[in-house]
Amino acid sequence: MVAGGSARRRGQRAREEAERWARRSREANAVARRYEKAAEGERRAAAALLTLTAAGWSLLVDRRWRETQTANVDMILIGPAGIFVIDVKSWHRAPAVSGERLSLLDERLDAEVPKLLAITRTAEEHVAPLGVAPIAVRPTMIFTGHRLNARYGRTWLLGQEDAVPALLDEPTRLTAPMIRAVATHLADTFREYETSSLSELNGAAAVAPEETISLFDPDDAAEASLRAALRAPIERWMTFLHPDQIALTRRHWNGPARLSGPTGTGKTVVGLHRAAYLAELSSRPILYVTFVRNLPRVQEQLFRQLCPAAAERAEFTHLHAWVQSFLAERGVAWSLNKKLVDHAFAVAWQRYGTDSVLTDVDPAPAYWQDEINRVIKGRGLTLLEDYRAVRRHGRRMRLRPAQREAVWLLYEEYEVLRKNHGVHDFNDVLVAALDELRRRPLDRPYASVIVDEVQDLTLIGVRLLHALAGDGPNGLLLIGDGQQAVYPGGFRLVDAGIAVKGRGGVLRTNYRNADQILRAAMAIVRDDPFEDLEEMSSDGRRDIEAAYHDGAVVNADADDRGTLDELLIEAIRDRPAPESAPADAAVLCATRRELDHYHRILTRAGIPVLRLENYDGRPVDAIKLGTYRRAKGLEFKRVFLPQYDAMIRAGEGAGAADHERAELARRQLFVAMTRARDLLWLGRVANTARIGP
């Protein structure tokens, strides 16, 4: 053994031990400094946010999460713009956001977000019974000492100096009573630590003086929210979400899903809130599509009120506009010309319809044009054998084999003439888009496709949207109600290859219509069976719960057309309440001819008019004017239906086709009546028996 070797080894071990303790000390000191820095950062962030309390906001500071001693919530801010669950960060640099990556220099910091999202979900669950939608609850990170305003998934990233201006610039979502109720509820849910590092701020940041916080019941808070929405402009009402509807906005479905329910149950509103929720979860776009041409503009404007931060990631369109744009981008030629298409059918009818067995069923060519558009081409049929066997959903009149063969001859002649003209009809364009999509899918698929008023599409249109969305989780949501179908024909989802069993929801409570209006409308269709994409009802009676509120149905009878028009003008000018404005009212007509007539009548009376095809969802001090079909998906405080019974009486007759036309007319009238929330005015020329209430 070398002399001194043992001492050197002991000395080396001592130095290593000392270095280890020194390293631990340095690490402990660094952790302590980080906590001290974080506490100082929280104080500075809280001081900045406290300025909002003078404007009616409430701030909860340093709260316990799920009654644990280790997990905490830095702050919860409640104000007109909603609820913000805040995590304060005192990083030496502002983070960088690139796609789905959150980083500081080269270090990925994505793991900082899941805890904040989990706390946010807890807050969402606790405020849902108060009528607060998930879109109003925002996970937020505030970075002290930096300038920043960015988005990472659902999470809002704000610099300390940017926070207050950005929050004040947000749209209003909560009323003052709701702010107090929510703040009180969350203060009880997220308890304050007994010893808080920010205790000196808690007095100033409290929800409100103790004596001003009244005890409340969740049902009372939700009822107060309903009353506030009833007083607001109709556009604000169209984004109102009841607590019963909230769960559907954030439900996870592992494939295509369906949302159904009777009129007035808020299907479209749930769809809009779900689109907002999904848009915040993904960087890919959301497609919200419907069949009604003017409705996407309104829905887009409502969506911007709900979720302005995600407005650029949601695309609102009607089906044919999307298809035409898609084909143009792919360089696929098409030519839509309704005049030439109608001419081709008219010539085909002259040659193969006027003297055929079809006239024994219905001599009107419009019925058979619908048969071709909605049944043969609308279902993508190309063989007579398939048409012979197909179930004609939505068409009540049975056709014998000879009659189906006559229809097919009419169809083939129409196709020859159409092609000779070098034009396409809408079904041709849908088929071309479906073929192109199957040939080459989208380079950047949509995160989700939400289809509103799905019952009005053709089967080929639904197949196209299914191909667009696929069968992935939350990829396709179909919203609709067969009782509100305003076009002939129909389909089953299974025919489109879509399975939704176990995925979806049914809304049963009508929040829109006053009880008197709902009962009057249901009386129109109560004896009419309808097909609802998956099954057929025995009659039109529905199990609908009503959230009753005050309203009225007014029947106005006149001896002649001129007198009826005078009664209409008088009723429009006679506002039932001071806050009732022309912007909240609509005159709806069955036909375009009637539409033009009432445009002249209203204009001569000095009443400002906005046609529904020009309405984009923003409040305008003018009465809305449109057809029953144009009003699909819209709501108004007051609705006026002059000569509401004319179209149904025109469709009455003894034949099976007459019954089918009258049934369709009743559904269209039913849709028009249920656009009314508070007042429904039904005008008619006397000397005919009433068909309504």
Side-chain angles (χ1 to χ4, degrees):
M1 177 180 293
V2 179
S6 178
R8 281 196 299 273
R9 284 195 295 274
R10 286 197 299 272
Q12 183 177 353
R13 286 197 295 269
R15 280 195 301 273
E16 291 173 353
E17 187 72 14
E19 288 174 359
R20 186 162 54 251
W21 282 107
R23 186 168 60 252
R24 290 179 179 175
S25 177
R26 288 194 299 272
E27 291 171 353
N29 287 330
V31 170
R33 284 195 298 272
R34 286 200 298 272
Y35 277 116
E36 290 168 2
K37 187 178 180 181
E40 176 60 27
E42 289 178 32
R43 277 192 287 269
R44 282 188 282 145
L49 297 177
L50 275 172
T51 61
L52 293 170
T53 60
W57 295 63
S58 293
L59 181 64
L60 307 178
V61 181
D62 205 21
R63 316 299 287 198
R64 186 181 300 142
W65 179 38
R66 293 179 178 168
E67 302 301 325
T68 67
Q69 294 295 326
T70 56
N72 75 299
V73 184
D74 288 344
M75 300 174 199
I76 302 177
L77 181 68
I78 307 103
I83 301 161
F84 300 87
V85 181
I86 298 172
D87 185 11
V88 179
K89 297 296 184 185
S90 299
W91 295 352
H92 66 282
R93 290 176 181 266
V97 181
S98 177
E100 298 183 1
R101 180 185 176 97
L102 179 67
S103 59
L104 186 62
L105 296 179
D106 293 329
E107 181 184 0
R108 292 199 65 165
L109 298 169
D110 307 357
E112 297 287 332
V113 177
K115 174 193 167 186
L116 177 60
L117 294 178
I119 298 172
T120 302
R121 283 192 292 272
T122 300
E124 289 173 357
E125 293 166 0
H126 280 85
V127 298
L130 306 184
V132 180
I135 196 63
V137 187
R138 297 284 299 276
T140 307
M141 285 183 172
I142 293 182
F143 298 86
T144 60
H146 302 296
R147 302 299 303 269
L148 183 65
N149 190 338
R151 174 186 175 273
Y152 176 71
R154 284 195 68 199
T155 305
W156 199 6
L157 311 178
L158 290 170
Q160 178 186 318
E161 295 182 28
D162 302 283
V164 170
L167 290 164
L168 289 174
D169 198 41
E170 284 287 286
T172 299
R173 291 190 174 95
L174 300 180
T175 62
M178 283 298 292
I179 293 171
R180 291 193 294 271
V182 168
T184 303
H185 193 51
L186 290 180
D188 185 61
T189 302
F190 295 90
R191 298 278 185 168
E192 184 179 2
Y193 278 97
E194 294 179 6
T195 304
S196 171
S197 62
L198 299 174
S199 58
E200 66 271 22
L201 287 172
N202 284 342
V207 174
E210 189 66 29
E211 62 271 16
T212 67
I213 303 176
S214 59
L215 295 176
F216 69 94
D217 180 87
D219 291 338
D220 293 338
E223 182 63 26
S225 180
L226 173 60
R227 290 195 300 270
L230 288 170
R231 290 192 300 269
I234 194 66
E235 287 80 9
R236 173 84 174 273
W237 163 260
M238 290 168 69
T239 63
F240 169 75
L241 197 64
H242 193 273
D244 294 344
Q245 301 166 326
I246 289 175
L248 292 171
T249 67
R250 52 176 293 179
R251 185 171 296 174
H252 177 81
W253 287 303
N254 61 359
R258 183 176 175 218
L259 181 60
S260 61
T263 182
T265 52
K267 297 181 294 296
T268 293
V269 178
V270 170
L272 288 172
H273 279 266
R274 181 164 179 82
Y277 180 74
L278 293 175
E280 289 200 329
L281 294 179
S282 175
S283 60
R284 289 188 289 135
I286 305 291
L287 180 65
Y288 200 107
V289 62
T290 185
F291 187 73
V292 184
R293 185 180 298 272
N294 59 298
L295 191 54
R297 291 196 303 272
V298 178
Q299 293 170 332
E300 182 176 12
Q301 184 62 32
L302 297 176
F303 185 84
R304 287 183 178 275
Q305 296 176 29
L306 283 176
C307 190
E312 302 307 318
R313 292 191 305 281
E315 180 182 346
F316 290 84
T317 184
H318 68 92
L319 179 60
H320 291 120
W322 186 92
V323 166
Q324 291 172 47
S325 176
F326 170 70
L327 291 177
E329 289 176 3
R330 292 290 180 90
V332 178
W334 49 269
S335 176
L336 283 172
N337 188 317
K338 188 176 186 306
K339 183 178 291 187
L340 288 178
V341 164
D342 289 343
H343 179 262
F345 177 80
V347 173
W349 175 255
Q350 287 259 323
R351 295 177 181 176
Y352 286 92
T354 52
D355 295 326
S356 72
V357 294
L358 301 181
T359 57
D360 298 334
V361 179
D362 189 352
Y367 183 90
W368 303 109
Q369 189 171 17
D370 285 338
E371 181 76 7
I372 290 173
N373 285 333
R374 305 290 296 189
V375 179
I376 295 178
K377 301 194 72 172
R379 295 178 63 88
L381 304 180
T382 57
L383 298 173
L384 173 58
E385 290 74 16
D386 294 335
Y387 179 57
R388 283 194 181 110
V390 74
R391 290 188 59 187
R392 299 165 59 251
H393 298 296
R395 305 288 267 177
R396 300 283 177 264
M397 188 167 53
R398 291 187 177 184
L399 297 181
R400 299 190 304 273
Q403 293 163 342
R404 294 204 185 204
E405 291 172 6
V407 174
W408 195 261
L409 285 174
L410 177 64
Y411 155 69
E412 289 184 325
E413 181 66 13
Y414 160 71
E415 284 291 278
V416 169
L417 294 169
R418 178 189 62 76
K419 291 175 182 177
N420 288 342
H421 285 315
V423 295
H424 302 88
D425 57 29
F426 285 120
N427 284 302
D428 298 321
V429 177
L430 293 177
V431 170
L434 179 58
D435 290 343
E436 175 62 22
L437 191 63
R438 286 171 173 168
R439 185 186 71 81
R440 180 162 67 90
L442 293 182
D443 297 329
R444 189 172 185 238
Y446 291 103
S448 181
V449 177
I450 299 176
V451 187
D452 205 355
E453 306 289 354
V454 64
Q455 73 277 354
D456 289 330
L457 299 180
T458 59
L459 179 63
I460 199 70
V462 176
R463 283 176 178 161
L464 170 63
L465 293 168
H466 183 211
L468 195 60
D471 292 317
N474 300 319
L476 179 65
L477 177 61
L478 305 173
I479 303 173
D481 172 34
Q483 194 170 37
Q484 298 180 67
V486 296
Y487 295 93
F491 57 88
R492 292 285 191 273
L493 291 180
V494 66
D495 297 331
I498 301 175
V500 296
K501 187 176 182 180
R503 293 190 297 269
V506 181
L507 297 170
R508 303 188 186 280
T509 301
N510 180 300
Y511 297 104
R512 179 200 302 148
N513 308 116
D515 181 41
Q516 302 92 323
I517 295 172
L518 182 60
R519 284 190 283 110
M522 293 303 300
I524 297 293
V525 294
R526 64 187 172 195
D527 296 324
D528 295 334
F530 65 94
E531 300 192 33
D532 198 27
L533 307 185
E534 295 170 85
E535 58 185 15
M536 183 169 179
S537 74
S538 57
D539 56 41
R541 295 173 175 82
R542 310 287 293 275
D543 181 18
I544 308 178
E545 301 174 13
Y548 301 127
H549 62 271
D550 293 334
V553 176
V554 176
N555 284 283
D557 294 348
D559 293 330
D560 54 63
R561 174 78 169 268
T563 304
L564 181 64
D565 293 345
E566 292 174 2
L567 291 176
L568 172 65
I569 299 301
E570 181 182 340
I572 291 172
R573 288 174 171 162
D574 182 23
R575 300 180 187 178
E579 66 270 16
S580 181
D584 294 331
V587 174
L588 303 180
C589 306
T591 66
R592 293 195 61 83
R593 184 175 181 179
E594 290 297 307
L595 191 69
D596 294 337
H597 170 77
Y598 283 105
H599 197 159
R600 291 191 298 270
I601 293 298
L602 294 170
T603 303
R604 287 174 190 166
I607 297 174
V609 175
L610 177 66
R611 299 284 280 253
L612 284 183
E613 55 262 38
N614 299 319
Y615 175 50
D616 66 359
R618 284 178 280 204
V620 177
D621 192 22
I623 195 165
K624 311 302 187 304
L625 177 66
T627 62
Y628 295 174
R629 289 179 177 179
R630 285 280 189 193
K632 285 292 292 285
L634 301 177
E635 302 171 11
F636 309 94
K637 290 185 179 180
R638 298 182 296 155
V639 168
F640 302 87
L641 304 180
Q643 300 195 82
Y644 72 99
D645 61 341
M647 188 172 176
I648 292 179
R649 296 195 182 286
E652 288 181 344
D658 296 318
H659 288 306
E660 190 173 319
R661 270 192 294 273
E663 183 180 314
L664 180 61
R666 283 191 293 271
R667 285 204 306 271
Q668 293 174 353
L669 174 59
F670 170 74
V671 167
M673 294 172 73
T674 53
R675 300 309 95 194
R677 199 190 71 182
D678 304 329
L679 183 141
L680 175 63
W681 188 91
L682 300 173
R684 71 184 183 109
V685 175
N687 72 26
T688 57
R690 286 180 181 162
I691 62 170

